[in-house]
Amino acid sequence: MTVLLLIRHGENDYLAKNKMPGRMPGIHLNEHGREQAAALAETLKRLPIKAVYSSPLERAVETAEPLAQALGLEIQIRPALTDTDVGEWTGRSWKALGRTKHWETIQRTPSRFQFPGGETFVQTQDRVVAALDTIVAAHGRRDLVAVIFHADPLKLAVAHYLSLPLDNFQRLTAHTGSVTILKVDGRAVKLLALNLIPPFSFPKP
């Protein structure tokens, strides 16, 4: 049994301005995002976390840094945890995208959608779940590990482990700086918490 702390990175100016960052390099945490990262470290530092994994994007690594430092651990970068490749939509505003003919498909039947020049949600889910399965396989029973990555990949992973249809993943929520907790024991998976915002008390399994 491995307990996964699935953590969404902190806020950045692209999100604050309602723009889609995708995989654009050079997007860093803003002041509020750095405060969120510090709050995560303060809340989680007393837990027996065995490893800290992160997406390679700066906003995820910068969220992981205070926690890893508090725990005395190295951040283990996993490229497969990176954000969804939104292709030609990178950097565009949510408001403008919400007026496109594709928006209803994204919200109602995302399994049918592919970002222009980018990934499908199915592809994102497959690679992220494969990465998390590898992480679980690398750890022993009762290990607690932190994984810092991105909203849609996180929600898609939770949907998979809970056997929710992909088309329902938009019903889940993962705010910036939040923690979602999954207990994975082979095929037996339990959702212990969703979208916890520090400070909070760690729920007992």
Side-chain angles (χ1 to χ4, degrees):
M1 180 268 290
T2 304
V3 176
L4 297 174
L5 305 178
L6 304 180
I7 300 170
R8 186 184 176 190
H9 62 76
E11 185 184 272
N12 57 77
D13 285 340
Y14 259 71
L15 290 177
K17 295 176 182 178
N18 292 312
K19 292 184 178 181
M20 184 177 288
R23 296 181 178 179
M24 184 183 296
I27 296 178
H28 300 276
L29 297 183
N30 59 21
E31 182 178 356
H32 181 53
R34 292 189 292 272
E35 291 172 352
Q36 290 174 314
L40 283 164
E42 182 63 27
T43 297
L44 301 176
K45 68 182 181 181
R46 295 177 181 84
L47 297 178
I49 295 172
K50 299 293 185 182
V52 177
Y53 296 90
S54 176
S55 155
L57 294 176
E58 291 96 337
R59 56 191 184 272
V61 175
E62 290 170 6
T63 303
E65 285 174 342
L67 177 60
Q69 183 176 7
L71 295 169
L73 297 172
E74 295 291 330
I75 300 172
Q76 300 186 52
I77 301 298
R78 293 293 182 269
L81 295 172
T82 194
D83 207 352
T84 306
D85 183 356
V86 297
E88 297 168 15
W89 286 19
T90 302
R92 295 186 62 186
S93 76
W94 291 103
K95 185 176 181 179
L97 296 173
R99 293 195 294 265
T100 69
K101 63 181 180 180
H102 302 295
W103 197 251
E104 186 172 354
T105 301
I106 291 173
Q107 299 304 313
R108 295 182 180 272
T109 53
S111 62
R112 300 181 181 180
F113 181 75
Q114 180 168 10
F115 288 96
E119 284 184 304
T120 65
F121 286 107
V122 174
Q123 289 170 327
T124 300
Q125 186 180 58
D126 286 348
R127 66 170 167 80
V128 170
V129 168
L132 292 175
D133 283 346
T134 299
I135 289 170
V136 170
H139 289 274
R141 295 178 63 84
R142 301 181 183 276
D143 276 1
L144 184 65
V145 299
V147 184
I148 297 89
F149 54 136
H150 309 274
D152 280 356
L154 190 159
K155 294 188 295 180
L156 286 163
V158 172
H160 167 81
Y161 285 115
L162 298 184
S163 299
L164 294 176
L166 187 150
D167 285 336
N168 291 341
F169 95 94
Q170 299 281 26
R171 300 179 184 182
L172 303 172
T173 300
H175 291 136
T176 54
S178 68
V179 182
T180 292
I181 307 173
L182 285 178
K183 183 175 73 171
V184 183
D185 189 0
R187 294 185 179 181
V189 178
K190 290 186 178 181
L191 178 66
L192 301 184
L194 178 71
N195 198 40
L196 293 175
I197 305 296
F200 59 84
S201 297
F202 188 72
K204 294 182 179 180

